[in-house]
Amino acid sequence: MLEVVSVSGFSEKNIQTVPGDAVSVRRGGLLHGTKVATTNGWKLADALVAGDLVRTMDNGFQEVKRVSHDRIAVPAGEVRPDFLPVRVPSRAAYNGRAVWLMPEQGMAVALSSDGNIDEGLAIIPARLLSGHFSFSSQTPAEEFQVTSLFFEQDEVVFIEGGFQAFCSSCRIRSLSGPSRRSYAVLEESEARSLVTSIAEAGELSAIANPLGALPAPIPQEPIFPIRPPSGVRRPGRPGRPNVPALFLRPEWQT
């Protein structure tokens, strides 16, 4: 079994704690060192704090409401996949280095056609990926740290390798405002069947999104207007508007 010791940080912006569901928080989370897409590009999961803005699949950049840090201890001789992280070797997906996934961390899997799954997404535990696409159940160390992120609503966030990690709202609920969509969590048998069919078809893109692996930060505001104000020339050299300018005009730099 895994031994867990946990501490948490909270954002105090308009939230309350109530009972809620999660994808096995006890054995979920992101191992320390895992990179998460934020407004400033990739950032280590263990460096995130309540209030940081993280890129989500469906709701743009969302504020982290709570961060939980857990210490995991794996007994010597533990070999059961259900109690071991999943190791994704370098280049096995869209990762330049090995990525570790906690066994019960919910992962978003894209479905090309299934009317029963909202927006073509299903949530499965990462442990079911072991044995497929060169993924295997191992442990990085006898003891290691994991971080769990919680948002105002259920969210799917982008982590390195193009993987899409499900982050439950857990016990965090907003006091006001519209409720956004949640995600379908598949039953064990359905999830196993889905993973098997994906592996047999070799559809790696169903579990790892190449666009989600882009390292560059995504600006929330345009760098400059699509059309300039009336009477203002587009960037370029006088008399040669098609030649790139070394520097933008001052009025275009605001």
Side-chain angles (χ1 to χ4, degrees):
M1 297 289 290
L2 301 181
E3 176 190 354
V4 180
V5 177
S6 176
V7 295
S8 301
F10 293 88
S11 168
E12 298 181 351
K13 295 183 179 179
N14 198 33
I15 59 174
Q16 65 179 354
T17 59
V18 297
D21 297 327
V23 179
S24 191
V25 176
R26 186 174 186 273
R27 287 179 287 137
L30 305 174
L31 272 78
H32 282 199
T34 303
K35 296 179 181 178
V36 180
T38 72
T39 50
N40 296 318
W42 294 112
K43 190 172 182 179
L44 297 179
D46 41 297
L48 293 172
V49 297
D52 283 346
L53 295 178
V54 170
R55 180 188 174 196
T56 68
M57 174 176 287
D58 295 297
N59 299 308
F61 291 95
Q62 291 295 316
E63 178 188 352
V64 176
K65 293 294 184 179
R66 177 188 172 205
V67 180
S68 174
H69 300 287
D70 301 326
R71 176 175 61 84
I72 307 296
V74 181
E78 180 62 78
V79 295
R80 293 172 295 175
D82 288 2
F83 297 94
L84 292 174
V86 176
R87 182 178 185 272
V88 181
S90 173
R91 308 293 181 184
Y94 304 102
N95 53 315
R97 60 173 187 163
V99 174
W100 294 87
L101 306 173
M102 286 298 287
E104 292 297 333
Q105 171 58 47
M107 307 302 296
V109 176
L111 302 176
S112 57
S113 60
D114 189 336
N116 295 323
I117 302 300
D118 187 23
E119 296 295 327
L121 283 179
I123 306 300
I124 65 170
R127 59 183 167 78
L128 298 184
L129 300 175
S130 180
H132 304 289
F133 298 106
S134 300
F135 302 177
S136 59
S137 296
Q138 302 180 26
T139 180
E142 291 184 359
E143 289 192 6
F144 52 90
Q145 304 282 333
V146 300
T147 294
S148 298
L149 306 177
F150 301 94
F151 296 86
E152 187 174 355
Q153 300 288 335
D154 293 346
E155 301 287 0
V156 171
V157 304
F158 293 93
I159 64 175
E160 62 180 308
F163 294 107
Q164 300 146 138
F166 173 73
C167 295
S168 174
S169 59
C170 195
R171 293 169 295 176
I172 307 301
R173 291 292 187 271
S174 175
L175 294 174
S176 62
S179 177
R180 290 194 292 270
R181 53 169 282 177
S182 58
Y183 299 89
V185 180
L186 294 186
E187 296 292 338
E188 179 86 6
S189 59
E190 293 178 304
R192 286 188 181 277
S193 177
L194 174 61
V195 172
T196 299
S197 63
I198 290 174
E200 290 177 348
E203 294 290 345
L204 178 63
S205 60
I207 60 176
N209 186 341
L211 295 179
L214 295 176
I218 300 176
Q220 300 185 74
E221 301 292 339
I223 298 176
F224 52 80
I226 297 176
R227 290 181 177 273
S230 178
V232 178
R233 290 177 56 88
R234 293 181 182 275
R237 298 176 183 175
R240 304 173 65 189
N242 295 326
V243 177
L246 296 179
F247 301 96
L248 295 178
R249 293 170 178 267
E251 60 266 26
W252 286 80
Q253 298 180 19
T254 58

